[in-house]
Amino acid sequence: AQSVTQPDIHITVSEGASLELRCNYSYGATPYLFWYVQSPGQGLQLLLKYFSGDTLVQGIKGFEAEFKRSQSSFNLRKPSVHWSDAAEYFCAVGMIKAAGNKLTFGGGTRVLVKP
Amino acid sequence: DGGITQSPKYLFRKEGQNVTLSCEQNLNHDAMYWYRQDPGQGLRLIYYSQIVNDFQKGDIAEGYSVSREKKESFPLTVTSAQKNPTAFYLCASSIGGVNEQFFGPGTRLTVL
C-alpha cells in the first residue's frame, strides 16, 4: 500500500528565512503528488501539484516543490517566509489504481514563524 | 462563487445520538470525499463517491454512513456506533480521477 511520510511534525522558522518541508512517499508507480496548506480551523488549499514533466513545480504564494524519483521525495520550499505562512502543510499522493481514485495524506507539518 | 459548503461549522451532540453533517458543492464535480482530521494524525478517508448513487468505504468507515442521491450533495451521518466521534470533519470534491481535491471549511463535531 502507498504511504506518505512527513518527517517533521513541527518546524519553526524566522520571518524572511527560507523554508523546506520534507515529504517522502512509498508507491510502486509514478505518483501524482500534491501539497496543501491549512490555516487553523479551516479547510485545505492546494499549493501545487505534480503529475508529470518538469520536476520543479511552481505553486501559489511563492512556493515550489521538487520531485526526486530516486529519493521518492517531493519537498516543498519557499525562499523567504512571511508571517502569514504559519499554518499546517500536508503532502498527498494520488493513486490511480485500486478501488477508486483517492489521495493519501501525510501526517502534516506545522510551521511556526518567528518575528 | 463556486465552492464547497459544509454546515454547521460547529456541532454538539450527546453521546448515543446520530448526527448528519452536510456537504454541498456547486463545482459540478463528479467525485466527493469525507475525511476525518484528529490532531497530529493528518487526514483519514472515511467514504468517497465517484458518481451519483455510488460510494465506497475509505480507511475508517466503521460507525459512519453516507448517501449520494444528488451530484452536488454528499451528507455524512455519524452514528452511535462510532466510538470516538469528536473530531474535525472535512468534505472535498474533485472532477474525478486522480486530480486535486477542493475542500470545504470543515465541521467540528463535539460529542458530550
Side-chain angles (χ1 to χ4, degrees), chain A:
Chain A
Q2 80 293 341
S3 65
V4 182
T5 302
Q6 294 180 245
D8 304 303
I9 297 174
H10 294 99
I11 285 182
T12 300
V13 60
S14 296
E15 191 168 14
S18 63
L19 174 68
E20 181 168 12
L21 304 182
R22 296 183 290 165
C23 174
N24 295 98
Y25 64 88
S26 171
Y27 184 50
T30 300
Y32 292 61
L33 297 161
F34 306 81
W35 273 101
Y36 285 86
V37 61
Q38 183 183 34
S39 297
Q42 302 297 317
L44 276 67
Q45 180 184 21
L46 181 73
L47 287 174
L48 48 79
K49 61 187 178 185
Y50 172 79
F51 286 1
S52 64
D54 192 346
T55 56
L56 185 62
V57 181
Q58 301 298 320
I60 63 171
K61 304 186 181 193
F63 285 92
E64 67 178 24
E66 186 172 12
F67 170 55
K68 293 186 176 180
R69 185 187 303 276
S70 61
Q71 298 178 18
S72 297
S73 69
F74 188 55
N75 294 350
L76 182 72
R77 299 192 293 254
K78 185 168 184 177
S80 178
V81 169
H82 187 261
W83 64 265
S84 60
D85 293 322
E88 189 154 22
Y89 294 79
F90 293 94
C91 180
V93 172
M95 58 178 183
I96 60 174
K97 297 169 63 177
N101 303 311
K102 49 186 180 178
L103 303 185
T104 298
F105 286 83
T109 297
R110 184 170 297 279
V111 173
L112 304 175
V113 180
K114 295 190 300 184

Side-chain angles (χ1 to χ4, degrees), chain B residues 16-81:
Chain B
Q17 290 182 334
N18 291 356
V19 59
T20 298
L21 281 59
S22 169
C23 177
E24 302 278 333
Q25 54 99 359
N26 61 4
L27 300 168
N28 199 32
H29 285 169
D30 285 318
M32 296 187 74
Y33 309 82
W34 273 106
Y35 293 92
R36 170 179 172 140
Q37 186 176 26
D38 296 282
Q41 294 196 40
L43 278 70
R44 293 183 290 170
L45 183 64
I46 304 172
Y47 269 98
Y48 61 106
S49 167
Q50 297 183 89
I51 198 166
V52 175
N53 293 321
D54 187 44
F55 50 83
Q56 290 81 38
K57 293 182 178 179
D59 301 318
I60 56 165
E62 184 176 352
Y64 300 97
S65 65
V66 294
S67 63
R68 186 85 188 277
E69 297 176 359
K70 297 186 296 182
K71 186 175 185 176
E72 59 270 22
S73 178
F74 192 41
L76 173 74
T77 296
V78 184
T79 74
S80 56

